[in-house]
Amino acid sequence: MAVKNMTKKQIQTFFERLREQRPNPQTELNYSSPFELLIAVMLSAQATDLSVNKATDRLFPVANTPEAIYALGVENLKHYIKTIGLYNSKAENVIKTCQILISKHQSQVPDNRVDLEALPGVGRKTANVVLNTAFGQAAMAVDTHIFRLGNRTGLAVGKNVLEVEQRLMKVIPKEFILDAHHWLILHGRYCCIARKPKCAECIVSDQCNWPERFDFGATVPTGIRQTKKSV
């Protein structure tokens, strides 16, 4: 059964609830500068924020500028990030990125998509995270959590991450857009999880259009017939 798109009223209530639950949502990656955020997000591909934080908590006290990390070189950088998946290719991309930041951007992280996506190892999702979190720009980084949540709830139905991103940017009210990425990723990570979503605990289950939410404990409105699984 196809999930229906949420209405404007549903979306408004959806984000009002998420904002009330987390008034000041933040990324769970540890960083203290746009450059540290860029490196952390580059390392986070196919890795957990926890594993990245463990690595950068060792790395950043030693090297947290383009010059310092570039001076480490690929092999020494690997020593700090070897506990993270794909660390070989990530180390090479980080060193190349540091070199470009030094030579072309005065060691500063670009605040625009074109220059960010020109950096080795930086795709659209990473660029969106940096633009939104470091520079306060309206951008939506769609990861696996947000892609799942958007399609499951009817907030933003799309066949790929770009379709979901574009839909989210279109339907999310302006008052929520800057923090929407954090609200959605945290809700997807801790409540609307993949295999066993916590619908019984979900603060927006009554706005969700996923038919199976009742099977996972969401309150069944009057007039809706329960399935055997939810009885």
Side-chain angles (χ1 to χ4, degrees):
M1 181 184 296
V3 176
K4 295 181 180 179
N5 288 319
M6 284 187 183
T7 65
K8 289 183 178 180
K9 184 177 181 180
Q10 283 177 299
I11 293 172
Q12 179 72 26
T13 302
F14 183 91
F15 281 101
E16 286 176 353
R17 300 248 187 97
L18 295 183
R19 179 173 61 187
E20 183 178 357
Q21 181 185 48
R22 294 186 174 94
N24 298 295
Q26 303 290 329
T27 178
E28 293 186 320
L29 291 170
N30 295 336
Y31 76 99
S32 60
S33 69
F35 175 71
E36 287 189 0
L37 177 65
L38 172 63
I39 298 304
V41 179
M42 290 176 66
L43 296 177
S44 71
Q46 298 184 43
T48 65
D49 287 358
L50 179 61
S51 68
V52 173
N53 288 339
K54 288 181 177 179
T56 56
D57 284 349
R58 297 191 299 269
L59 172 64
F60 289 157
V62 175
N64 69 340
T65 65
E67 291 84 357
I69 290 184
Y70 183 70
L72 286 177
V74 173
E75 292 306 316
N76 285 331
L77 177 58
K78 287 181 183 179
H79 171 73
Y80 291 98
I81 67 171
K82 61 184 178 181
T83 56
I84 301 175
L86 306 176
Y87 72 93
N88 286 310
S89 59
K90 289 177 180 179
E92 293 179 0
N93 283 332
V94 167
I95 293 299
K96 291 176 182 177
T97 285
C98 288
Q99 183 179 29
I100 293 173
L101 291 178
I102 295 168
S103 62
K104 294 187 177 181
H105 301 288
Q106 296 75 51
S107 298
Q108 300 299 307
V109 176
D111 62 357
N112 66 87
R113 181 183 304 282
V114 173
D115 287 335
L116 280 171
E117 292 189 18
L119 299 172
V122 176
R124 186 177 182 88
K125 184 180 75 173
T126 296
N128 281 341
V129 173
V130 173
L131 291 173
N132 178 256
T133 304
F135 299 112
Q137 297 183 23
M140 179 60 60
V142 177
D143 68 350
T144 56
H145 297 298
I146 296 179
F147 182 77
R148 177 180 65 253
L149 188 153
N151 277 286
R152 176 183 279 171
T153 65
L155 175 63
V157 177
K159 297 178 181 178
N160 53 57
V161 293
L162 182 58
E163 286 187 9
V164 171
E165 175 191 332
Q166 292 172 337
R167 177 72 181 173
L168 288 170
M169 293 300 294
K170 180 179 180 180
V171 303
I172 296 175
K174 290 183 179 180
E175 65 178 298
F176 304 116
I177 198 67
L178 287 181
D179 288 323
H181 163 72
H182 297 303
W183 283 320
L184 294 176
I185 194 171
L186 292 171
H187 192 68
R189 181 176 291 166
Y190 295 112
C191 185
C192 196
I193 56 181
R195 298 185 67 179
K196 293 183 179 180
K198 301 177 182 179
C199 299
E201 305 170 20
C202 181
I203 62 171
V204 290
S205 64
D206 60 331
Q207 305 305 310
C208 175
N209 287 340
W210 188 42
E212 295 180 42
R213 67 192 184 280
F214 306 120
D215 296 340
F216 289 90
T219 302
V220 181
T222 303
I224 292 183
R225 185 178 180 181
Q226 291 179 308
T227 65
K228 292 182 180 179
K229 188 175 181 179
S230 62
V231 172

